Structures are given as C-alpha cells and as structure tokens.
Amino acid sequence: MTVGVLILSVLLALVVGGCVCVVWASRGTAPRWARVVAAVTRGAGEALWVLMRSNKGSSRSSSGSDD
C-alpha cells in the first residue's frame, strides 16, 4: 500500500467518523467526546464552505474583468 493511499484512507475514516458523531450528537444521546468531535466536524465543514464560497466569488470577479 502506498503512502498516498494510506493517508487518503485515514482521512476518509476521520470524515466518516466525524459525520457519525454529528448524527449521534444530534440525537442527544452522545457522550461528551462525541459532541466535541461533532462540533469540530461542523466547524470544519462551515469553514470549508466559507472558503469555497470566497474562492468562487473571486474567480467570478477575475473572469468578469477580463471581458
């Protein structure tokens, strides 16, 4: 197994585990550590969403000024 595949596998496991914790915490029966993982996962998702929105806006404005 190459290092790249191993890194991607670990990253995928972290993402899936974070999503499971979000669902578990939303049901209200999760232990404290799962609620913390869920909060970190939601925060990372929101930060990624904001970053992608800002990149999309900057690419539009740069392509629009070339016309």
Side-chain angles (χ1 to χ4, degrees), residues 9-23 37 41:
S9 298
V10 169
L11 184 62
L12 180 63
L14 288 172
V15 169
V16 170
C19 292
V20 168
C21 286
V22 168
V23 171
V37 171
T41 302

Side-chain angles (χ1 to χ4, degrees), residues 46-60:
E46 289 177 12
L48 184 62
W49 183 79
V50 168
L51 182 64
M52 291 180 69
R53 294 276 297 178
S54 67
N55 284 342
K56 189 185 296 187
S58 65
S59 67
R60 283 184 187 164

